[in-house]
Amino acid sequence: MGYRVEQNNSHYPGTAKVVVYYDELLADNDKILNSDIPYQSVIESIQAAKKYLSDPQNIDIANSILSSIKAVKGYLKGYFKSHGKNPATLDDCIKELQKQKVCPEEIIIKPLKSLYIYRHRTENVAHGSPLTAELSNEDALLCNEMAISLINYFHRKFTVSC
């Protein structure tokens, strides 16, 4: 995923070259790692999502998606725990956000629910399955970008409002 083999049309026709796209595709991950996130497990989940997409010998799209969503869940659980709540699942976190009315429903809650549903309904992403979902690099990148955006949103929102 982070590496692509392309035709080398320069001096050696008929040969190929390896081009590294890793830095371009996953550069935004560094935003979250440098934004003072107080939960180490969230940072580790984002790093794992990155690693699953960048290791040219072991690309694992399903685990990248799972790690991205796990990072969002970890951030929300950490936030709620620091405020005396203990939601067990991402769904519980979403319900707590709705109850507290701290986020716009259309642009925050619905995408968060979509990630939760996607994770649970896609074979081999959240649960074992005899089937394997057809996942693309773009699916993992989208989940990764959504996770980072949501975590950054919550971090800015909760840090300012607390």
Side-chain angles (χ1 to χ4, degrees):
M1 207 310 283
Y3 304 85
R4 299 214 177 136
V5 177
E6 296 181 350
Q7 284 291 2
N8 190 358
N9 294 325
S10 61
H11 303 296
Y12 305 103
T15 63
K17 64 181 177 178
V18 175
V19 178
V20 179
Y21 284 92
Y22 166 75
D23 291 333
E24 293 173 28
L25 294 172
L26 300 173
D28 286 343
N29 283 345
D30 293 332
K31 288 181 195 175
I32 193 170
L33 300 177
N34 295 318
S35 63
D36 198 28
I37 301 297
Y39 312 115
Q40 185 61 33
S41 67
V42 172
I43 293 168
E44 289 170 359
S45 291
I46 292 297
Q47 288 172 330
K50 178 193 273 189
K51 184 175 187 274
Y52 285 125
L53 290 180
S54 64
D55 180 350
Q57 296 176 340
N58 191 23
I59 300 295
D60 190 338
I61 295 171
N63 272 320
S64 180
I65 292 169
L66 183 59
S67 293
S68 294
I69 297 170
K70 184 178 173 184
V72 176
K73 176 183 172 184
Y75 187 89
L76 290 173
K77 285 181 74 171
Y79 168 75
F80 286 124
K81 185 175 183 177
S82 70
H83 288 80
K85 305 277 184 192
N86 197 18
T89 66
L90 180 56
D91 190 44
D92 292 339
C93 290
I94 294 168
K95 289 174 183 171
E96 189 62 37
L97 287 170
Q98 287 178 300
K99 189 168 98 176
Q100 292 184 11
K101 297 184 180 188
V102 294
C103 305
E105 182 77 25
E106 294 298 316
I107 63 168
I108 302 300
I109 301 297
K110 283 188 177 182
L112 198 54
K113 282 182 181 179
S114 293
L115 276 177
Y116 175 76
I117 291 166
Y118 177 74
R119 175 182 171 232
H120 284 282
R121 290 190 181 164
T122 305
E123 291 90 356
N124 282 348
V125 172
H127 306 288
S129 172
L131 304 174
T132 302
E134 289 193 29
L135 302 170
S136 70
N137 300 336
E138 289 74 21
D139 297 331
L141 287 170
L142 176 62
C143 287
N144 188 264
E145 291 294 324
M146 287 177 70
I148 290 169
S149 295
L150 287 165
I151 291 166
N152 282 331
Y153 168 83
F154 291 128
H155 188 60
R156 286 190 298 270
K157 182 166 187 73
F158 296 152
T159 302
V160 171
S161 65
C162 293

